[in-house]
C-alpha cells in the first residue's frame, strides 16, 4: 500500500450560472447524474471525481458556459492505493 493525493471538486453553481439563458433547460439530463444527485453535486454536497469533472467540463462547453470560472471549490484527500 502507498498513499496518493486525490483531488475533487465541490460544487458548480458559479459556472452553471454563466450558461446563457435558455441553455440550462434539462441540463442535468445531459449528465450521468440523476436529478437529486445532480443538485447535490451542483451545491457542493458531494465531491466530483476527476473523471466526472472532465465529463461536466465538456457539457459546460457545449452549453456556452464561461470556462474561466471553474468549479466552486476544490478538495484534496490522501488516499491509500494498493500497488
Amino acid at each position: 500500500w502507498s498513499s496518493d493525493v486525490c483531488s475533487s471538486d465541490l460544487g458548480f453553481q458559479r459556472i452553471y450560472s454563466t450558461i446563457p439563458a435558455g441553455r440550462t433547460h434539462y441540463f442535468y439530463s445531459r449528465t450521468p447524474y440523476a436529478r437529486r444527485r445532480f443538485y447535490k453535486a451542483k451545491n457542493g454536497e458531494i465531491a466530483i471525481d476527476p473523471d466526472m469533472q472532465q465529463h461536466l467540463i465538456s457539457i459546460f462547453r457545449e452549453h456556452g458556459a464561461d470556462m474561466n470560472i471553474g468549479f466552486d471549490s476544490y478538495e484534496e484527500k490522501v488516499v491509500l492505493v494498493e500497488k
Side-chain angles (χ1 to χ4, degrees):
W1 294 91
S2 67
S3 62
D4 198 4
V5 176
C6 178
S7 178
S8 296
D9 294 325
L10 296 171
F12 49 85
Q13 289 184 27
R14 293 181 314 141
I15 192 171
Y16 183 83
S17 70
T18 69
I19 297 173
R23 308 251 1 236
T24 59
H25 194 65
Y26 296 115
F27 180 88
Y28 78 90
S29 67
R30 298 284 317 239
T31 72
Y33 292 123
R35 183 181 290 195
R36 180 174 169 85
R37 198 139 171 87
F38 170 81
Y39 287 104
K40 284 182 175 270
K42 178 182 170 191
N43 295 329
E45 296 174 35
I46 59 173
I48 304 167
D49 67 60
D51 291 335
M52 181 62 80
Q53 293 167 24
Q54 294 306 309
H55 189 77
L56 288 172
I57 286 170
S58 68
I59 297 169
F60 280 121
R61 278 194 182 110
E62 290 172 16
H63 284 78
D66 181 351
M67 299 311 297
N68 294 317
I69 299 293
F71 290 90
D72 294 347
S73 64
Y74 300 88
E75 151 183 287
E76 288 188 350
K77 293 181 182 179
V78 176
V79 294
L80 291 176
V81 179
E82 184 176 353
K83 295 218 172 187

